[in-house]
Amino acid sequence: MPSTTTFLDELFDKGLLIDTGVDGLYGRSGLFEEIGDRFQALVTRYGAEDEPEVVRFPPAMSRQVFEKSGYMKSFPQLAGTVHCFCGSPADHVSLLQTIEAKGDWTEGQKASEIVLTPAACYPLYPTAAKRGQLPADGLLFDLMSYCFRHEPSKDPARQQMFRMREFVRMGTPDQVTEFRAKWLERGQALIGELGLPLKLDVANDPFFGRTGKMLAVNQRDQRLKFELLIAIESEENPTACLSFNYHQDHFGKTFELESSDGEVAHTACVGFGHERVILALLKHHGTDVKTWPQSVRKALWG
Amino acid sequence: MPSTTTFLDELFDKGLLIDTGVDGLYGRSGLFEEIGDRFQALVTRYGAEDEPEVVRFPPAMSRQVFEKSGYMKSFPQLAGTVHCFCGSPADHVSLLQTIEAKGDWTEGQKASEIVLTPAACYPLYPTAAKRGQLPADGLLFDLMSYCFRHEPSKDPARQQMFRMREFVRMGTPDQVTEFRAKWLERGQALIGELGLPLKLDVANDPFFGRTGKMLAVNQRDQRLKFELLIAIESEENPTACLSFNYHQDHFGKTFELESSDGEVAHTACVGFGHERVILALLKHHGTDVKTWPQSVRKALWG
């Protein structure tokens, strides 16, 4: 393989990812999916003793909930709204003429009541709040969903549509910080078992604009976000494969989540970048799974 | 349960589906997903001897490919385009003011290069064509994806975001019609094993407008589409849970797929409505899985 070939080219060549003509939007082979399924089973085993409630949302969510979440305030550049054709047969004729003439036919599309899910946990908060006050020991959920972020890139670890596994804890500050501390340990043990070199670091979300810079500094200063980084596309800039987030009362306030003590609930989550961990395995152990270290094969296939 | 309670209400009450505030957009419980996983494993067993190539695409696809497919000609009312914010920090300030004032902030969103996937097989055709002429025995793929159709409804079997499993055959007319005939038999055997009362019928796609009516009549006359129907929301109007489609040379022509004999390739597919089969099981056997008929439990859990 010549050194000018990128990792993405290699993944296309081996058929592990499939080019769709759009950067960051790829098909996956059966082998890619099989590695991912085994990784998810390992994550489930690490979290099993906590007995999380499994919930799965589709890859789109209510626009009303999305607006309430404040996502457009912090990350407008990453969001995707879903738009539809609501016209008459006459409008349809003119739409087809525009497509035929290679014009912009999308201008007439109207925003629907849904948007693409930006992180697996967003649809959860309002549905959890509907159950009423949290029980004394809080709540713990196990989520997974395709997510969308509009950041076209040739880095295979930065996809526009990717899957995120998440555990979300809701409760008192003590309950949720204890949860995060436990997963900081577990996450390192889990990635260690997969034979991947990792680095843990304080991090910040990609807040938009000048106000965003201040939010990012504040988030780092308060150590609200940690990331477990693994080198995939670059040694110098390793990729966040797991993230450990303490939201304080942000979602509790926004969605009126109440702890059993009557206070605004705090929340925290641990997120696993599904494709990123698969890519880290392929990068560090090679694209031929049969030659992976025995210990890694055992962790995944038992 | 009072007779005025709908099936959707019952699914919400039992926690099998989770209300998101948008008709046709629901969360799923762990049990709902577990039934679905077992159903998919059964489908895999039925198709295993054909050794299909497993490929998975994300729930969105290239807009360019989508435009080429002709979907907007036939089903404009069902499609969903993904739009993004591409503005400056100043635009962002005005966007937030609009949201704050409950105005329509979505007008400034610009169409991105992707659209939601309307059926699992759409992203496949151009990537298969890139491989060059089909081999002598054609190709067979195993797909599954979340799909989007903009048809808000209180019928839980008509969701806006739902999963579709598909096998897609590409080859000569004989190869693809033989594939469809085989799955017509297999599909009935499989649903029979699940103890569900089924009806097989000629069908048509929901083509838009007046021209669409003619396309629908033509599709029925040529018996290009069959559906396996199971009563879910209504006895009188059973729901299509599997569909068996012969596309003739439609996708072959559109995406320049060539058979080994140099002719335009023909294609056919069998599609399984993932949520619909789960809902049919819950409707006919009840929401308490432990009380399902022994034979059905054996087919799913072994």
Side-chain angles (χ1 to χ4, degrees), chain A residues 176-201:
Chain A
V176 310
T177 51
E178 188 202 323
F179 158 85
R180 190 174 71 148
K182 187 161 61 178
W183 269 107
L184 270 164
E185 293 305 316
R186 280 181 184 166
Q188 293 174 81
L190 191 159
I191 296 301
E193 223 187 313
L194 295 179
L196 298 171
L198 65 90
K199 205 184 111 186
L200 203 69
D201 208 354

Side-chain angles (χ1 to χ4, degrees), chain B residues 29-99:
Chain B
S29 74
L31 174 60
F32 190 94
E33 293 295 286
E34 160 75 9
I35 298 167
D37 288 347
R38 302 317 305 165
F39 165 61
Q40 291 303 334
L42 184 65
V43 172
T44 300
R45 289 204 294 282
Y46 267 80
E49 64 173 319
D50 304 337
E51 298 181 10
E53 179 180 341
V54 175
V55 173
R56 296 287 181 264
F57 289 96
M61 62 181 286
S62 151
R63 177 151 66 88
Q64 200 188 339
V65 170
F66 177 78
E67 287 169 4
K68 197 172 174 183
S69 76
Y71 193 86
M72 288 306 285
K73 203 175 280 182
S74 300
F75 318 108
Q77 78 283 17
L78 299 176
T81 45
V82 176
H83 296 229
C84 295
F85 169 78
C86 315
S88 66
D91 297 327
H92 185 224
V93 170
S94 116
L95 174 101
L96 294 182
Q97 286 166 347
T98 309
I99 293 179

Side-chain angles (χ1 to χ4, degrees), chain A residues 39 163-165 240-242 271-278:
Chain A
F39 166 61
R163 281 161 287 186
M164 188 188 292
R165 175 83 177 267
C241 292
L242 276 66
F272 301 80
H274 180 75
E275 282 76 12
R276 287 181 173 181
V277 174
I278 301 168

Side-chain angles (χ1 to χ4, degrees), chain A residues 28 56 67 72 92 105, chain B residues 28 56 67 72 92 105:
Chain A
R28 292 95 160 99
R56 295 287 180 266
E67 286 169 6
M72 287 306 285
H92 184 225
W105 60 274
Chain B
R28 293 93 162 101
R56 296 287 181 264
E67 287 169 4
M72 288 306 285
H92 185 224
W105 60 276

Side-chain angles (χ1 to χ4, degrees), chain A residues 15-18 26-41 144 146 159 161-163 274-275 278-279 282 289 300-301, chain B residues 53-58 142-145:
Chain A
L16 283 154
L17 290 183
I18 300 161
Y26 309 120
R28 292 95 160 99
S29 74
L31 174 60
F32 190 96
E33 292 295 287
E34 161 75 8
I35 298 167
D37 289 347
R38 302 318 305 166
F39 166 61
Q40 290 304 333
M144 183 161 174
Y146 254 104
Q159 298 189 17
M161 299 237 55
F162 59 94
R163 281 161 287 186
H274 180 75
E275 282 76 12
I278 301 168
L279 292 167
L282 292 166
V289 175
L300 292 171
W301 280 274
Chain B
E53 179 180 341
V54 175
V55 173
R56 296 287 181 264
F57 289 96
D142 169 343
L143 302 169
M144 184 159 172
S145 164

Side-chain angles (χ1 to χ4, degrees), chain A residues 18-23 25-31 33 53-67 72-89 92 95-96 99-100 103-107 109-116 123 127 130-131 146 148 150 152 160-163 208-210, chain B residues 18-23 25-31 33 53-67 72-89 92 95-96 99-100 103-107 109-116 123 127 130-131 146 148 150 152 160-163 208-210:
Chain A
I18 300 161
D19 193 0
T20 69
V22 177
D23 287 342
L25 189 74
Y26 309 120
R28 292 95 160 99
S29 74
L31 174 60
E33 292 295 287
E53 177 180 341
V54 176
V55 173
R56 295 287 180 266
F57 289 96
M61 62 180 287
S62 151
R63 177 152 66 89
Q64 201 188 337
V65 171
F66 177 79
E67 286 169 6
M72 287 306 285
K73 205 174 280 182
S74 300
F75 317 107
Q77 77 283 18
L78 299 176
T81 44
V82 176
H83 296 229
C84 295
F85 169 80
C86 315
S88 65
H92 184 225
L95 174 99
L96 295 182
I99 293 180
E100 188 69 28
D104 182 5
W105 60 274
T106 63
E107 281 181 357
Q109 297 282 97
K110 301 283 178 214
S112 74
E113 61 283 62
I114 72 170
V115 302
L116 293 184
T127 65
K130 263 193 238 161
R131 298 187 188 181
Y146 254 104
F148 174 76
H150 190 241
Q160 296 199 58
M161 299 237 55
F162 59 94
R163 281 161 287 186
F208 182 81
R210 198 184 299 172
Chain B
I18 300 160
D19 194 358
T20 69
V22 177
D23 288 341
L25 188 75
Y26 310 120
R28 293 93 162 101
S29 74
L31 174 60
E33 293 295 286
E53 179 180 341
V54 175
V55 173
R56 296 287 181 264
F57 289 96
M61 62 181 286
S62 151
R63 177 151 66 88
Q64 200 188 339
V65 170
F66 177 78
E67 287 169 4
M72 288 306 285
K73 203 175 280 182
S74 300
F75 318 108
Q77 78 283 17
L78 299 176
T81 45
V82 176
H83 296 229
C84 295
F85 169 78
C86 315
S88 66
H92 185 224
L95 174 101
L96 294 182
I99 293 179
E100 189 69 28
D104 182 5
W105 60 276
T106 63
E107 280 180 359
Q109 297 282 98
K110 300 285 178 211
S112 75
E113 61 284 61
I114 72 169
V115 302
L116 293 183
T127 65
K130 262 193 238 161
R131 299 188 188 180
Y146 253 104
F148 174 76
H150 190 242
Q160 296 198 59
M161 298 237 55
F162 60 95
R163 280 160 288 185
F208 181 80
R210 199 184 297 172

